[in-house]
């Protein structure tokens, strides 16, 4: 996970979503390795990840519809 984050870039105020965010040990280790703290949210991390994926898919579908 850290390897991917380092490749894409991470800024202060990032969120960790999905099942991994439910493991406090993993979250703390990622924060320690990156040297920045993830935003602590009360939103269920799995729902947030699914919502983000749905919005990304919807946007992609809209772009494809405009191009057709």
């Amino acid at each position: 996970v850290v390897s991917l984050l380092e490749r894409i870039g991470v800024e202060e105020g990032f969120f960790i979503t999905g099942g991994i965010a439910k493991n406090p040990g993993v979250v703390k280790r990622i924060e320690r390795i990156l040297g920045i703290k993830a935003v602590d949210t009360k939103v269920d991390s799995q729902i947030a990840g699914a919502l983000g994926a749905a919005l990304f898919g919807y946007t992609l579908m809209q772009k494809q519809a405009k191009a057709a």
Side-chain angles (χ1 to χ4, degrees), residues 4-36:
L4 176 61
L5 291 172
E6 289 174 334
R7 278 187 272 149
I8 64 171
V10 180
E11 298 176 0
E12 190 73 33
F14 77 103
F15 288 81
I16 299 176
T17 63
I20 195 170
K22 292 183 176 269
N23 185 325
V26 171
V27 172
K28 288 186 187 317
R29 184 169 177 138
I30 290 170
E31 291 173 334
R32 188 176 68 237
I33 292 170
L34 294 174
I36 56 177

